[in-house]
């Protein structure tokens, strides 16, 4: 038997003080199985010990919120007796080590979070960050991650409808793979994880347990080093065909009233599902581990409890309903085993071969989990970059073409064409726009979905970056005509044990909270991923925002593509030509400096509300928010999406032309309309800044009547980079 001492605990990622706390809870030296349970439950990944203090400051309530953070996913009311269930989660470390399986099991895990609450998944999204295209691993990682996401989502038959992917040297040693799923359930038929009813059977369903994924949660709570490849055995192996069976079996059983509580086995596997169900219900659980379906001989209690094998669920059933449930799961050719019972002991007791291998009090295991108020340092303030400090190009459209052909602005078609975004036949707006729209089946209503973050803003000024990430997600939902409902977040950072990194986290969370409150856009679920660094080199702070909105009438939406020729192009919002931390500065001038554009949340809300009214009222024929690359990139994207050109005239503002074109001022949208006078009048009545800046038409993009480039030439440059990069040897 393995001796458990402080050295063993340190190997499991527990500090000396955490080990002492464990000893005081147990009143004795723990068994190796008990140590394993404490180590994963107290890992950063499971306990949020460095972030919980700050997460509590986020706004999580609203009239639309049915269930906020704390369950498997967030739940919001979408009317007609229905609810949307959604969440985003990271699978960063596994995807760097084994990109295909890491990304695939990330998709599988987030889908289980959604359907364990009784929702049928209807859409997947993702947010991906890779290292420099020149890094020797990047091409391999892009290929594996995209194939893993597509392979799992396509096989299970849930459309992957959009997302984002970017490149930066900061991710060379630690890529990000954030997966989001949205599902739909009956609002009065949401399933929760709190176990109840001493004597009720505890049931294991799904795939058999193997040795894959052991200590996956612990690995996700530590930074990488030169030996990261040795962690390959901690990456789980997924089977989307089994998950499809599990999905259908669970939903079939959920149509009965047999389930008391249900929890998927995700990070920390059987350990976390058992402990969380017992804790939320204020009860105990006793398991006989011999009854656990296993696929490998000689598995120890430690391995059974810590395995992160995929496609598994834990349920508490009403007494006497076991055979009814068994018949359903056996029909779907899945394992079904009664492995224990609910008790009133308040303890998790594990037995194997008539021996007690673990006996842990649940409340202190959860309540005494460490919460750290880590030291943090604010990010130093940057000076703005004035337009006069930036060199004006001889031809701004040459700079535009260069920008559109760059890795971070080129078309992502190569990626999303590998995803089945039309399966289920309810995708109303495909990838490539501001937000995807999925029809609420059998209706003329829809859900709008987006993922957004601008890490260079968050690195330059974390609080502003946090605000902007929320504001951009909100704008993307507005731009298709949706009413923003709520958000989920995936907070990706380096080591919280370093004060500057913790300062980035604190600043970003503060900005997210301020924007979510100001925009009535509550945070209902999310995930924190720390230790995204290798040998002390951290990623850029990347707080990804997953936004969900409601479309009341699919006939009242807008698209990015110009609708027709000879329509006025109207700019909503104020342009100051802000170039600090901009794409133009980074890609064209190769400068990473300056403060990011300020975010005025009052203006954001006013401008967005006005734009949405113009869309649903039919006045706006197309719409695009202005973000990375500024106004000219937004207009070029509208032109490339439609094949229709545009003539643009800069107003007499005194702003240098390139700053007006490429500045990344916030709270802006580009609309097209057949009646600009009416739109400008409506904007004035609402106190919204609006101006006509051009007209659609022809086959070229022209600025100031002087500079011109064909839309086809732009599209060719825009479409070429990623396929050529991925095809290179």
């Amino acid at each position: 038997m393995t001796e458990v001492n402080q050295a063993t605990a340190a190997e499991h990622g527990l500090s000396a003080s955490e080990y002492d706390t464990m000893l005081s809870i147990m009143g004795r030296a723990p068994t190796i199985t008990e140590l394993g349970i404490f180590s994963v439950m107290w890992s950063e990944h499971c306990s949020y010990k460095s972030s919980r203090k700050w997460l509590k400051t986020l706004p999580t309530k609203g009239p639309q919120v049915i269930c906020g953070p704390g369950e498997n996913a967030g739940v919001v009311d979408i009317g007609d007796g229905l609810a949307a269930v959604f969440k985003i989660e990271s699978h960063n470390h596994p995807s760097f080590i084994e990109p295909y399986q890491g990304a695939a099991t990330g998709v599988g895990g987030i889908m289980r979070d959604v359907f364990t609450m009784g929702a049928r998944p209807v859409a997947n999204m993702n947010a991906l960050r890779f290292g420099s295209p020149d890094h020797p691993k990047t091409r391999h990682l892009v290929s594996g991650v995209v194939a893993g996401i597509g392979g799992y989502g396509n096989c299970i038959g849930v459309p992957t409808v959009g997302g984002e992917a970017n490149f930066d040297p900061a991710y060379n040693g630690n890529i990000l793979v954030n997966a989001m799923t949205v599902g739909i359930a009956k609002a009065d038929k949401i399933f929760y994880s709190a176990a109840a009813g001493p004597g009720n059977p505890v049931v294991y369903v799904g795939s058999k347990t193997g040795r894959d994924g052991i200590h996956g949660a612990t690995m996700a709570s530590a930074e990488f080093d030169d030996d990261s490849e040795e962690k390959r055995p901690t990456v789980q192996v997924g089977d989307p065909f089994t998950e499809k069976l599990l999905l259908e079996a669970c939903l079939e059983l959920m149509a009965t009233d047999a389930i008391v509580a249900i929890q998927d086995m995700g990070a920390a596997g059987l350990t976390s599902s058992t402990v969380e169900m017992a804790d939320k219900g204020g009860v105990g659980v006793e398991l006989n581990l011999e009854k656990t379906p296993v696929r490998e001989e000689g598995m120890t209690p430690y391995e059974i409890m810590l395995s992160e094998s995929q496609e598994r669920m834990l349920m508490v059933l009403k007494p006497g309903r076991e055979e009814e449930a068994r018949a359903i799961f056996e029909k779907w050719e899945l394992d079904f085993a009664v492995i224990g019972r609910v008790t009133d002991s308040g303890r998790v007791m594990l037995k194997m071969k008539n021996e007690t291998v673990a006996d842990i009090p649940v409340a202190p295991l959860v309540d005494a989990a460490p919460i750290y108020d880590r030291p943090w340092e604010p990010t130093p303030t940057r000076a703005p970059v004035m337009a006069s400090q930036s060199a004006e190009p001889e031809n701004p459209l040459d700079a535009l073409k260069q920008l559109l052909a760059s890795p971070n602005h080129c078309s992502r078609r190569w990626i999303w064409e590998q995803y089945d975004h039309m399966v289920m036949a309810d995708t109303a707006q495909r990838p490539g726009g501001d937000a995807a729209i999925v029809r609420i089946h059998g209706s003329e209503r829809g859900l709008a979905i987006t993922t957004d973050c601008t890490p260079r803003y968050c690195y330059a000024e974390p609080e502003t970056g946090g605000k902007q990430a929320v504001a951009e997600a909100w704008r993307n939902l507005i731009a298709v005509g949706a009413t923003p409902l709520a958000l989920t977040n995936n907070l990706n950072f380096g080591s919280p044990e370093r004060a500057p990194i913790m300062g980035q986290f604190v600043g970003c969370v503060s900005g997210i909270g301020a924007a979510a409150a100001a925009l009535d856009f509550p945070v209902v679920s999310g995930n924190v991923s720390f230790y995204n660094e290798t040998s002390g080199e951290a990623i850029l702070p990347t707080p990804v925002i997953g936004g969900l909105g409601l479309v009341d009438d699919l006939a009242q939406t807008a698209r990015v593509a110009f609708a027709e020729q000879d329509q006025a192009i109207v700019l909503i919002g104020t342009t100051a030509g802000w170039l600090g931390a901009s794409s133009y500065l980074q890609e064209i001038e190769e400068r990473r400096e300056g403060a990011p554009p300020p975010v005025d949340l009052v203006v954001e809300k006013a401008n967005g509300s006005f734009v949405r009214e113009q869309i649903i009222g039919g006045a706006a024929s197309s719409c695009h928010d202005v973000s990375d690359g500024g106004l000219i990139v937004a207009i070029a994207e509208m032109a490339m999406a439609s094949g229709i050109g545009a003539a643009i005239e800069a107003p007499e503002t005194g702003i240098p032309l390139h700053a007006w074109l490429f500045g990344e001022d916030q709270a802006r949208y580009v609309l097209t309309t057949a009646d600009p006078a009416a739109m400008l009048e409506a904007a004035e009545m609402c106190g919204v800044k609006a101006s006509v800046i051009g007209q659609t038409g022809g086959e070229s993009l022209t600025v100031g009547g002087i500079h011109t480039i064909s839309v086809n030439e732009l599209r060719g440059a825009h479409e070429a980079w990623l396929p050529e990069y991925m095809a290179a040897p």
Side-chain angles (χ1 to χ4, degrees):
M1 182 176 290
T2 304
E3 180 185 356
V4 175
N5 52 37
Q6 190 164 318
T8 321
E11 291 172 0
H12 282 69
L14 293 177
S15 68
S17 63
E18 289 169 350
Y19 181 63
D20 288 342
T21 302
M22 182 177 63
L23 290 179
S24 68
I25 290 172
M26 298 299 294
R28 57 174 171 79
T31 67
I32 188 64
T33 301
E34 290 168 338
L35 174 64
I37 289 170
F38 272 92
S39 74
V40 292
M41 292 308 299
W42 287 6
S43 68
E44 191 73 62
H45 190 75
C46 292
S47 73
Y48 295 87
K49 57 190 175 187
S50 299
S51 59
R52 206 179 314 174
K53 170 185 174 179
W54 303 102
L55 297 179
K56 288 180 179 178
T57 66
L58 295 171
T60 60
K61 300 184 184 302
Q64 71 276 40
V65 178
I66 295 173
C67 177
E71 272 291 342
N72 288 287
V75 186
V76 292
D77 192 334
I78 57 173
D80 291 349
L82 298 175
V85 180
F86 70 109
K87 188 182 183 183
I88 190 169
E89 271 207 346
S90 61
H91 231 222
N92 303 335
H93 285 51
S95 298
F96 183 79
I97 294 170
E98 196 353 278
Y100 185 95
Q101 290 295 349
T105 52
V107 173
I110 194 62
M111 281 199 280
R112 285 196 303 280
D113 279 340
V114 167
F115 74 74
T116 194
M117 299 193 73
R120 179 174 290 279
V122 297
N124 290 331
M125 295 279 282
N126 54 70
L128 312 176
R129 296 293 188 285
F130 299 103
S132 167
D134 297 330
H135 191 274
K137 279 191 173 182
T138 298
R139 190 179 286 104
H140 162 71
L141 291 169
V142 173
S143 177
V145 165
V146 171
I149 290 170
Y152 207 101
N154 296 354
C155 289
I156 200 171
V158 175
T160 301
V161 294
E164 55 175 359
N166 290 95
F167 299 84
D168 192 278
Y171 305 98
N172 280 348
N174 200 125
I175 64 172
L176 301 184
V177 175
N178 296 173
M180 176 178 173
T181 294
V182 180
I184 295 177
K186 293 182 179 179
D188 61 353
K189 196 81 170 172
I190 304 297
F191 287 80
Y192 298 99
S193 57
N200 282 350
V202 177
V203 175
Y204 172 118
V205 300
S207 289
K208 288 179 169 61
T209 295
R211 290 189 171 97
D212 54 322
I214 293 174
H215 273 299
T218 309
M219 178 190 69
S221 305
E223 67 176 278
F224 279 157
D225 54 31
D226 293 336
D227 299 322
S228 296
E229 291 294 331
E230 296 177 7
K231 297 177 179 176
R232 191 179 299 273
T234 63
V235 178
Q236 310 92 327
V237 178
D239 180 353
F241 299 104
T242 299
E243 178 126 335
K244 173 63 173 174
L245 301 177
L246 183 62
L247 163 65
E248 298 301 338
C250 285
L251 293 180
E252 184 174 338
L253 184 59
M254 287 167 169
T256 73
D257 63 348
I259 298 175
V260 175
I262 181 169
Q263 174 77 35
D264 80 295
M265 295 189 215
L270 186 54
T271 288
S272 63
S273 55
T274 302
V275 171
E276 289 172 11
M277 292 177 81
D279 176 61
K280 289 176 182 175
V283 296
V285 171
E286 181 179 306
L287 300 182
N288 184 345
L289 298 183
E290 288 177 77
K291 296 183 178 180
T292 305
V294 295
R295 65 169 180 259
E296 300 181 45
E297 292 184 6
M299 288 191 69
T300 64
Y302 177 97
E303 291 172 327
I304 291 170
M305 291 304 295
L306 270 63
S307 166
E308 293 186 7
S309 294
Q310 297 292 286
E311 295 90 37
R312 302 179 301 159
M313 291 278 189
L314 195 66
M315 299 180 181
V316 175
L317 299 181
K318 292 180 179 178
R321 306 297 290 275
E322 297 94 325
E323 293 312 309
E324 176 186 355
R326 183 190 302 276
I328 290 173
F329 282 87
E330 289 184 349
K331 180 187 79 173
W332 290 100
E333 300 181 347
L334 295 165
D335 278 285
F336 178 97
V338 179
I339 64 169
R341 63 187 180 91
V342 177
T343 69
D344 58 6
S345 68
R347 306 178 75 85
V348 167
M349 183 175 289
L350 308 177
K351 296 183 177 181
M352 192 165 186
K353 296 180 181 177
N354 296 318
E355 178 186 349
T356 298
V357 295
D359 185 1
I360 303 174
V362 174
L365 170 62
V366 175
D367 297 341
I371 298 179
Y372 294 126
D373 187 0
R374 302 271 192 198
W376 61 278
E377 297 173 4
T379 299
T381 302
R382 289 187 182 187
V385 172
M386 309 307 294
S388 59
Q389 297 172 291
S390 169
E392 185 157 359
E394 190 172 315
N395 184 343
L397 296 186
D398 288 343
L400 171 65
K401 181 179 176 181
Q402 181 181 338
L403 199 58
L404 291 175
S406 68
N408 284 326
H409 282 273
C410 69
S411 169
R412 298 298 186 255
R413 181 185 299 275
W414 181 90
I415 294 176
W416 56 257
E417 282 190 340
Q418 297 185 54
Y419 305 151
D420 188 339
H421 48 272
M422 296 303 292
V423 67
M424 300 178 78
D426 279 322
T427 304
Q429 283 207 27
R430 306 180 185 193
D434 285 315
I437 301 179
V438 175
R439 180 188 304 273
I440 299 171
H441 192 70
S443 76
E444 291 305 313
R445 302 189 308 135
L447 295 176
I449 313 160
T450 186
T451 54
D452 293 287
C453 184
T454 310
R456 65 180 185 277
Y457 291 174
C458 298
Y459 182 75
E461 195 171 283
E463 186 168 358
T464 298
K467 287 181 184 176
Q468 192 274 341
V470 173
E472 185 173 344
W474 195 80
R475 283 200 304 269
N476 281 333
L477 299 173
I478 290 286
V480 297
T483 300
L485 291 178
L487 68 88
T488 181
N489 57 34
N490 204 143
L491 310 177
N492 306 276
F493 292 81
S495 171
E497 297 172 42
R498 294 200 284 138
I501 300 295
M502 197 63 207
Q504 294 174 350
F505 180 83
V506 171
C508 285
V509 170
S510 175
I512 289 169
L519 298 174
D520 299 320
F521 200 32
V523 181
V524 297
S525 59
N527 169 243
V528 177
S529 178
F530 277 132
Y531 297 101
N532 290 290
E533 56 181 75
T534 297
S535 302
E537 293 293 321
I539 63 165
L540 298 177
T542 313
V544 173
I545 303 298
L548 183 76
L550 180 65
V551 174
D552 288 318
D553 185 348
L554 290 171
Q556 297 175 336
T557 58
R559 296 178 183 270
V560 165
F562 287 144
E564 54 186 280
Q565 307 260 358
D566 300 322
Q567 290 204 326
I569 300 172
V570 177
L571 173 62
I572 304 297
T574 302
T575 300
W578 194 281
L579 289 174
S582 67
S583 284
Y584 177 86
L585 213 62
Q586 179 171 307
E587 301 290 346
I588 305 301
E589 298 194 16
E590 298 182 349
R591 296 163 59 191
R592 296 187 176 219
E593 58 193 80
V599 178
D600 186 324
L601 295 168
V602 173
V603 174
E604 285 282 3
K605 190 168 186 180
N607 289 5
S609 298
F610 171 78
V611 167
R612 181 177 175 275
E613 289 303 316
Q614 295 302 298
I615 293 170
I616 64 175
S621 57
S622 63
C623 179
H624 194 9
D625 85 306
V626 179
S627 55
D628 271 4
L631 174 61
I632 192 62
V633 167
I635 292 171
E637 288 171 343
M638 298 174 86
M640 290 187 295
S642 62
I644 298 173
I648 306 300
E649 292 287 343
E652 295 292 334
T653 60
I655 301 169
L657 179 62
H658 76 296
W660 185 78
L661 292 171
F662 295 102
E664 295 182 7
D665 304 271
Q666 299 294 291
R668 295 187 299 162
Y669 303 79
V670 176
L671 305 177
T672 56
T673 181
D675 190 350
M679 185 173 286
L680 296 186
E681 182 180 354
E684 186 175 7
M685 291 178 62
C686 293
V688 167
K689 173 70 173 176
S691 56
V692 176
I693 59 169
Q695 188 170 19
T696 65
E699 299 177 350
S700 297
L701 183 58
T702 302
V703 173
I706 302 171
H707 307 292
T708 188
I709 190 169
S710 79
V711 173
N712 280 339
E713 184 178 346
L714 285 177
R715 187 189 285 127
H718 184 57
E719 296 276 358
W721 186 84
L722 192 52
E724 290 177 359
Y725 172 73
M726 294 307 299

